[in-house]
Amino acid sequence: MTALSSLKRIQKAFDGALRLPFDGSSRVVLMSDCHRGDGDGADNFAKNHNLYSVALDRYDREGFTYIEMGDGDELWESRNFAPIADSNGQVFKRLMKLYSERRLYFLYGNHDIVKKSERWVEENLHFYRDSRQGRLLPLFPGLRVHESIVLSVPGGGDILLLHGHQADFFNCELWRLSRFLVRWLWRPLQMVGLSDPTSPALNAGKKRSVEQSLIKWCEKNKTILIAGHTHRSMFPEPGEVPYFNDGCCVHARHITAIELENGMITLVKWSVEADENGGLFVRRGVVVGPRPLIEYFPVRDKQSVHFAGDQ
Protein backbone atom coordinates (compact mmCIF):
# COMPACT_ATOMS: atom_id res chain seq x y z
CA MET A 1 0.00 0.00 0.00
CA THR A 2 2.80 2.41 0.88
CA ALA A 3 4.71 1.59 -2.31
CA LEU A 4 1.60 2.23 -4.40
CA SER A 5 1.04 5.53 -2.62
CA SER A 6 4.64 6.49 -3.30
CA LEU A 7 4.21 5.88 -7.02
CA LYS A 8 1.03 7.94 -7.05
CA ARG A 9 2.75 10.82 -5.28
CA ILE A 10 5.62 10.77 -7.77
CA GLN A 11 3.17 10.64 -10.68
CA LYS A 12 1.23 13.58 -9.23
CA ALA A 13 4.48 15.55 -9.02
CA PHE A 14 5.23 14.71 -12.65
CA ASP A 15 1.75 15.70 -13.84
CA GLY A 16 1.84 19.03 -11.99
CA ALA A 17 5.45 19.95 -12.73
CA LEU A 18 6.68 23.28 -14.03
CA ARG A 19 7.89 22.59 -17.57
CA LEU A 20 11.07 24.26 -18.79
CA PRO A 21 12.53 23.97 -22.31
CA PHE A 22 15.85 22.15 -22.41
CA ASP A 23 18.21 21.42 -25.30
CA GLY A 24 21.87 21.03 -26.14
CA SER A 25 22.59 24.69 -25.50
CA SER A 26 21.19 24.54 -21.96
CA ARG A 27 23.49 24.68 -18.97
CA VAL A 28 21.87 23.51 -15.74
CA VAL A 29 23.37 22.53 -12.40
CA LEU A 30 21.34 20.52 -9.90
CA MET A 31 22.10 20.62 -6.19
CA SER A 32 20.02 19.61 -3.19
CA ASP A 33 20.06 18.99 0.54
CA CYS A 34 22.10 22.03 1.51
CA HIS A 35 20.22 22.18 4.83
CA ARG A 36 21.38 25.76 5.33
CA GLY A 37 21.10 26.36 9.07
CA ASP A 38 21.31 29.20 11.56
CA GLY A 39 24.98 28.64 12.44
CA ASP A 40 24.51 26.71 15.68
CA GLY A 41 26.14 23.40 16.58
CA ALA A 42 23.56 21.39 14.63
CA ASP A 43 24.14 23.31 11.38
CA ASN A 44 25.53 20.68 9.00
CA PHE A 45 25.91 23.17 6.15
CA ALA A 46 28.32 25.46 7.99
CA LYS A 47 31.38 23.30 7.31
CA ASN A 48 30.76 23.40 3.55
CA HIS A 49 29.65 27.03 3.30
CA ASN A 50 32.84 28.12 1.50
CA LEU A 51 32.87 25.11 -0.85
CA TYR A 52 29.31 25.83 -1.86
CA SER A 53 30.06 29.53 -2.40
CA VAL A 54 33.03 28.76 -4.67
CA ALA A 55 30.90 26.31 -6.67
CA LEU A 56 28.09 28.87 -7.08
CA ASP A 57 30.58 31.48 -8.29
CA ARG A 58 31.92 29.07 -10.91
CA TYR A 59 28.43 28.17 -12.14
CA ASP A 60 27.47 31.84 -12.24
CA ARG A 61 30.51 32.77 -14.34
CA GLU A 62 29.87 29.92 -16.77
CA GLY A 63 26.23 30.86 -17.34
CA PHE A 64 24.55 27.90 -15.63
CA THR A 65 20.98 27.93 -14.37
CA TYR A 66 20.90 26.73 -10.77
CA ILE A 67 18.05 24.44 -9.73
CA GLU A 68 17.94 23.66 -6.02
CA MET A 69 16.05 20.42 -5.60
CA GLY A 70 14.72 20.68 -2.08
CA ASP A 71 15.90 20.87 1.53
CA GLY A 72 17.85 24.00 0.69
CA ASP A 73 17.06 25.50 4.09
CA GLU A 74 16.85 23.60 7.37
CA LEU A 75 13.36 24.61 8.43
CA TRP A 76 12.69 21.64 10.66
CA GLU A 77 15.47 22.40 13.11
CA SER A 78 15.06 26.19 12.73
CA ARG A 79 11.59 27.54 13.34
CA ASN A 80 12.22 30.81 11.48
CA PHE A 81 13.93 31.67 8.21
CA ALA A 82 15.47 34.99 9.29
CA PRO A 83 18.33 33.44 11.36
CA ILE A 84 19.19 31.24 8.36
CA ALA A 85 19.32 34.27 6.08
CA ASP A 86 21.46 36.15 8.60
CA SER A 87 23.89 33.23 8.95
CA ASN A 88 24.24 32.74 5.19
CA GLY A 89 24.22 36.31 3.92
CA GLN A 90 26.94 35.86 1.29
CA VAL A 91 25.30 32.70 -0.07
CA PHE A 92 21.97 34.46 -0.46
CA LYS A 93 23.63 37.39 -2.23
CA ARG A 94 24.91 34.92 -4.82
CA LEU A 95 21.49 33.31 -5.14
CA MET A 96 19.84 36.73 -5.48
CA LYS A 97 22.12 37.54 -8.42
CA LEU A 98 21.13 34.32 -10.18
CA TYR A 99 17.46 35.03 -9.48
CA SER A 100 17.72 38.55 -10.90
CA GLU A 101 19.07 37.00 -14.11
CA ARG A 102 16.31 34.36 -14.23
CA ARG A 103 18.79 31.56 -13.65
CA LEU A 104 17.42 30.25 -10.33
CA TYR A 105 14.65 27.80 -9.46
CA PHE A 106 13.77 26.29 -6.09
CA LEU A 107 12.00 23.01 -5.37
CA TYR A 108 10.83 22.20 -1.88
CA GLY A 109 11.74 19.06 0.01
CA ASN A 110 10.50 17.69 3.30
CA HIS A 111 12.77 19.84 5.52
CA ASP A 112 11.57 22.99 3.77
CA ILE A 113 8.08 21.81 2.85
CA VAL A 114 6.65 25.03 4.31
CA LYS A 115 7.76 26.60 1.01
CA LYS A 116 4.82 24.75 -0.50
CA SER A 117 2.70 27.58 0.92
CA GLU A 118 2.62 30.60 -1.39
CA ARG A 119 1.78 32.75 1.62
CA TRP A 120 4.83 31.52 3.54
CA VAL A 121 7.07 32.18 0.53
CA GLU A 122 5.63 35.65 0.11
CA GLU A 123 6.11 36.51 3.80
CA ASN A 124 9.60 35.01 4.15
CA LEU A 125 11.37 34.82 0.79
CA HIS A 126 10.08 37.75 -1.24
CA PHE A 127 11.47 39.94 1.56
CA TYR A 128 13.08 39.04 4.87
CA ARG A 129 13.63 40.89 8.11
CA ASP A 130 17.31 41.63 8.61
CA SER A 131 18.04 41.31 12.34
CA ARG A 132 20.95 43.74 12.22
CA GLN A 133 19.14 46.50 10.36
CA GLY A 134 15.75 45.74 11.85
CA ARG A 135 13.89 46.22 8.57
CA LEU A 136 12.57 44.29 5.60
CA LEU A 137 14.98 43.81 2.72
CA PRO A 138 14.25 42.34 -0.75
CA LEU A 139 15.35 38.75 -1.26
CA PHE A 140 13.50 36.97 -4.09
CA PRO A 141 10.55 39.23 -5.00
CA GLY A 142 7.82 37.32 -6.80
CA LEU A 143 9.45 33.92 -6.22
CA ARG A 144 7.44 30.72 -6.61
CA VAL A 145 8.75 27.47 -5.15
CA HIS A 146 7.75 24.31 -7.01
CA GLU A 147 7.31 20.67 -6.08
CA SER A 148 8.85 19.48 -9.33
CA ILE A 149 10.22 20.55 -12.69
CA VAL A 150 10.21 18.73 -15.99
CA LEU A 151 12.96 19.61 -18.45
CA SER A 152 11.26 19.23 -21.83
CA VAL A 153 13.57 18.17 -24.65
CA PRO A 154 12.59 18.86 -28.29
CA GLY A 155 11.06 15.73 -29.75
CA GLY A 156 9.12 14.71 -26.67
CA GLY A 157 11.73 13.67 -24.12
CA ASP A 158 11.19 14.50 -20.44
CA ILE A 159 13.54 14.71 -17.46
CA LEU A 160 11.73 14.83 -14.10
CA LEU A 161 13.37 16.76 -11.26
CA LEU A 162 12.00 16.44 -7.73
CA HIS A 163 13.33 16.22 -4.20
CA GLY A 164 12.41 12.56 -3.67
CA HIS A 165 10.53 12.71 -0.37
CA GLN A 166 7.45 11.80 -2.40
CA ALA A 167 8.75 8.22 -2.18
CA ASP A 168 9.06 8.44 1.62
CA PHE A 169 5.72 7.99 3.42
CA PHE A 170 6.92 9.09 6.85
CA ASN A 171 8.69 12.23 5.62
CA CYS A 172 5.95 13.16 3.15
CA GLU A 173 2.54 12.25 4.52
CA LEU A 174 3.62 12.48 8.17
CA TRP A 175 6.03 15.39 7.79
CA ARG A 176 4.57 17.34 10.70
CA LEU A 177 5.32 14.44 13.04
CA SER A 178 8.76 14.05 11.49
CA ARG A 179 9.44 17.76 11.96
CA PHE A 180 8.33 17.59 15.60
CA LEU A 181 10.69 14.68 16.30
CA VAL A 182 13.61 16.36 14.53
CA ARG A 183 13.06 19.74 16.18
CA TRP A 184 12.47 18.60 19.74
CA LEU A 185 14.16 15.18 19.98
CA TRP A 186 16.83 14.48 17.36
CA ARG A 187 18.24 18.01 17.10
CA PRO A 188 19.32 18.11 20.78
CA LEU A 189 20.72 14.58 20.46
CA GLN A 190 22.56 15.56 17.27
CA MET A 191 24.36 18.22 19.29
CA VAL A 192 25.98 15.39 21.28
CA GLY A 193 26.71 13.17 18.28
CA LEU A 194 23.64 10.91 17.88
CA SER A 195 21.85 10.41 14.54
CA ASP A 196 18.19 10.53 13.52
CA PRO A 197 17.08 6.96 12.60
CA THR A 198 14.01 8.25 10.73
CA SER A 199 16.16 10.04 8.13
CA PRO A 200 16.81 8.15 4.86
CA ALA A 201 20.19 9.87 4.73
CA LEU A 202 21.20 8.12 7.96
CA ASN A 203 19.18 4.89 7.77
CA ALA A 204 20.29 2.37 5.14
CA GLY A 205 16.95 0.55 5.11
CA LYS A 206 14.92 3.72 4.52
CA LYS A 207 17.42 4.83 1.88
CA ARG A 208 16.94 1.60 -0.08
CA SER A 209 13.16 1.79 0.24
CA VAL A 210 13.05 5.34 -1.15
CA GLU A 211 15.41 4.46 -3.99
CA GLN A 212 13.38 1.38 -4.92
CA SER A 213 10.20 3.46 -5.26
CA LEU A 214 11.94 6.08 -7.41
CA ILE A 215 13.50 3.39 -9.59
CA LYS A 216 10.17 1.60 -9.94
CA TRP A 217 8.51 4.80 -11.17
CA CYS A 218 11.31 5.35 -13.70
CA GLU A 219 11.04 1.81 -14.95
CA LYS A 220 7.26 1.96 -15.26
CA ASN A 221 7.14 5.36 -16.98
CA LYS A 222 10.33 5.07 -19.07
CA THR A 223 11.31 8.57 -17.95
CA ILE A 224 14.60 9.98 -16.64
CA LEU A 225 14.27 11.03 -12.99
CA ILE A 226 16.79 13.05 -10.96
CA ALA A 227 16.27 13.42 -7.21
CA GLY A 228 17.98 14.19 -3.91
CA HIS A 229 16.67 13.39 -0.40
CA THR A 230 18.72 10.26 0.34
CA HIS A 231 22.06 12.15 0.27
CA ARG A 232 23.48 9.25 -1.77
CA SER A 233 24.54 10.13 -5.31
CA MET A 234 23.45 7.74 -8.06
CA PHE A 235 24.55 7.59 -11.69
CA PRO A 236 23.33 4.59 -13.72
CA GLU A 237 25.00 3.06 -16.73
CA PRO A 238 23.27 3.49 -20.11
CA GLY A 239 20.68 0.73 -20.43
CA GLU A 240 19.96 0.69 -16.69
CA VAL A 241 16.89 2.32 -15.14
CA PRO A 242 17.55 6.10 -15.55
CA TYR A 243 17.35 7.14 -11.89
CA PHE A 244 19.99 9.72 -10.90
CA ASN A 245 20.66 11.36 -7.54
CA ASP A 246 22.72 14.52 -7.05
CA GLY A 247 23.86 13.59 -3.52
CA CYS A 248 24.00 16.50 -1.05
CA CYS A 249 25.93 19.48 0.28
CA VAL A 250 26.44 18.20 3.83
CA HIS A 251 29.00 15.44 3.37
CA ALA A 252 31.86 15.61 5.83
CA ARG A 253 34.46 16.91 3.37
CA HIS A 254 32.76 17.62 0.04
CA ILE A 255 29.58 18.55 -1.82
CA THR A 256 28.17 16.96 -4.97
CA ALA A 257 26.15 18.19 -7.93
CA ILE A 258 24.84 17.03 -11.29
CA GLU A 259 25.68 19.15 -14.33
CA LEU A 260 23.67 19.12 -17.56
CA GLU A 261 25.61 20.73 -20.38
CA ASN A 262 25.94 20.26 -24.17
CA GLY A 263 23.47 17.38 -24.04
CA MET A 264 25.69 15.58 -21.49
CA ILE A 265 25.18 14.63 -17.84
CA THR A 266 28.00 14.62 -15.26
CA LEU A 267 28.23 13.93 -11.53
CA VAL A 268 30.82 16.17 -9.90
CA LYS A 269 32.34 16.61 -6.46
CA TRP A 270 33.66 19.85 -4.95
CA SER A 271 36.28 19.40 -2.22
CA VAL A 272 39.15 21.15 -0.47
CA GLU A 273 42.53 19.71 -1.49
CA ALA A 274 46.14 20.47 -0.55
CA ASP A 275 48.80 21.29 -3.12
CA GLU A 276 52.44 20.15 -2.92
CA ASN A 277 53.34 23.21 -0.85
CA GLY A 278 50.64 22.62 1.71
CA GLY A 279 48.33 25.31 0.35
CA LEU A 280 44.60 24.61 0.23
CA PHE A 281 42.42 25.04 -2.84
CA VAL A 282 38.91 24.10 -3.95
CA ARG A 283 38.81 21.38 -6.60
CA ARG A 284 35.98 20.38 -8.91
CA GLY A 285 36.39 16.68 -9.65
CA VAL A 286 34.38 14.53 -12.05
CA VAL A 287 32.95 11.47 -10.31
CA VAL A 288 31.11 9.96 -13.30
CA GLY A 289 30.66 11.21 -16.83
CA PRO A 290 30.15 13.16 -18.89
CA ARG A 291 27.71 10.83 -20.64
CA PRO A 292 25.32 11.70 -23.49
CA LEU A 293 21.81 12.16 -22.11
CA ILE A 294 20.38 10.61 -25.27
CA GLU A 295 21.72 7.25 -24.06
CA TYR A 296 19.24 7.32 -21.15
CA PHE A 297 16.11 8.03 -23.15
CA PRO A 298 13.87 5.04 -23.96
CA VAL A 299 14.00 3.54 -27.43
CA ARG A 300 10.62 5.13 -28.23
CA ASP A 301 12.16 8.61 -27.89
CA LYS A 302 15.68 8.14 -29.26
CA GLN A 303 14.59 8.66 -32.86
CA SER A 304 12.68 11.87 -32.10
CA VAL A 305 14.60 13.55 -29.28
CA HIS A 306 17.01 16.16 -30.53
CA PHE A 307 19.40 18.29 -28.50
CA ALA A 308 19.60 21.45 -30.61
CA GLY A 309 23.12 22.77 -30.37
CA ASP A 310 24.71 19.33 -29.98
CA GLN A 311 28.28 19.18 -31.13
Side-chain angles (χ1 to χ4, degrees):
M1 181 175 179
T2 300
L4 181 61
S5 298
S6 296
L7 296 180
K8 286 183 176 180
R9 287 193 295 270
I10 298 168
Q11 185 63 42
K12 183 179 178 181
F14 176 77
D15 293 339
L18 171 70
R19 288 187 167 263
L20 298 177
F22 180 86
D23 60 26
S25 66
S26 302
R27 285 184 162 187
V28 175
V29 58
L30 310 174
M31 301 175 81
S32 71
D33 298 276
C34 299
H35 293 276
R36 289 181 292 265
D38 58 12
D40 69 3
D43 185 351
N44 292 320
F45 177 71
K47 62 182 177 293
N48 290 332
H49 181 283
N50 291 333
L51 270 179
Y52 178 82
S53 296
V54 171
L56 274 189
D57 285 344
R58 165 83 174 269
Y59 291 127
D60 178 21
R61 289 194 305 271
E62 296 187 354
F64 277 79
T65 292
Y66 173 80
I67 300 180
E68 188 167 272
M69 303 211 305
D71 284 5
D73 300 307
E74 183 46 74
L75 291 164
W76 278 8
E77 295 181 3
S78 300
R79 300 185 67 180
N80 300 305
F81 174 74
I84 295 175
D86 286 342
S87 182
N88 296 278
Q90 293 304 311
V91 163
F92 281 104
K93 283 183 179 179
R94 290 171 167 88
L95 294 174
M96 288 167 64
K97 179 179 184 297
L98 291 170
Y99 182 68
S100 70
E101 297 172 359
R102 299 185 179 181
R103 292 192 288 133
L104 174 72
Y105 295 89
F106 287 130
L107 304 184
Y108 62 79
N110 50 307
H111 279 249
D112 56 2
I113 200 169
V114 291
K115 295 175 183 176
K116 180 178 182 179
S117 163
E118 291 184 10
R119 180 177 178 181
W120 189 95
V121 170
E122 181 178 347
E123 292 177 350
N124 292 273
L125 298 183
H126 289 186
F127 298 83
Y128 83 102
R129 183 166 297 280
D130 184 278
S131 61
R132 290 179 291 271
Q133 300 186 41
R135 62 190 180 93
L136 288 177
L137 297 175
L139 189 59
F140 306 115
L143 175 73
R144 291 191 61 193
V145 179
H146 305 275
E147 180 179 12
S148 51
I149 288 174
V150 167
L151 302 179
S152 297
V153 182
D158 287 331
I159 302 171
L160 173 61
L161 313 178
L162 77 173
H163 180 62
H165 67 290
Q166 294 84 353
D168 184 342
F169 178 78
F170 191 72
N171 283 299
C172 186
E173 298 294 338
L174 302 179
W175 68 268
R176 288 181 176 84
L177 174 60
S178 299
R179 182 179 65 180
F180 175 84
L181 293 173
V182 166
R183 184 173 291 172
W184 301 111
L185 177 60
W186 300 118
R187 183 171 185 263
L189 292 176
Q190 183 182 2
M191 303 282 277
V192 296
L194 297 180
S195 299
D196 175 5
T198 67
S199 168
L202 302 172
N203 183 305
K206 285 186 66 65
K207 197 189 303 276
R208 285 193 298 271
S209 176
V210 168
E211 290 170 348
Q212 287 168 3
S213 292
L214 294 168
I215 288 170
K216 187 172 182 180
W217 186 90
C218 284
E219 193 169 28
K220 177 182 179 182
N221 291 274
K222 302 292 188 285
T223 300
I224 297 170
L225 186 155
I226 307 177
H229 188 55
T230 65
H231 294 199
R232 175 158 65 183
S233 55
M234 300 288 284
F235 199 103
E237 293 293 325
E240 296 179 345
V241 178
Y243 160 64
F244 296 81
N245 194 296
D246 65 1
C248 72
C249 294
V250 292
H251 290 299
R253 288 176 292 276
H254 67 270
I255 65 176
T256 55
I258 283 180
E259 299 173 358
L260 307 174
E261 182 181 14
N262 297 325
M264 312 291 280
I265 183 167
T266 309
L267 175 67
V268 301
K269 176 176 74 172
W270 293 83
S271 59
V272 175
E273 308 289 344
D275 61 27
E276 58 185 12
N277 297 316
L280 300 179
F281 66 97
V282 173
R283 177 177 178 270
R284 171 192 170 275
V286 173
V287 180
V288 190
R291 299 269 174 78
L293 269 167
I294 192 69
E295 294 184 0
Y296 294 97
F297 282 95
V299 173
R300 70 175 190 217
D301 291 337
K302 283 186 177 179
Q303 299 302 316
S304 58
V305 165
H306 173 62
F307 286 101
D310 290 351
Q311 301 298 317

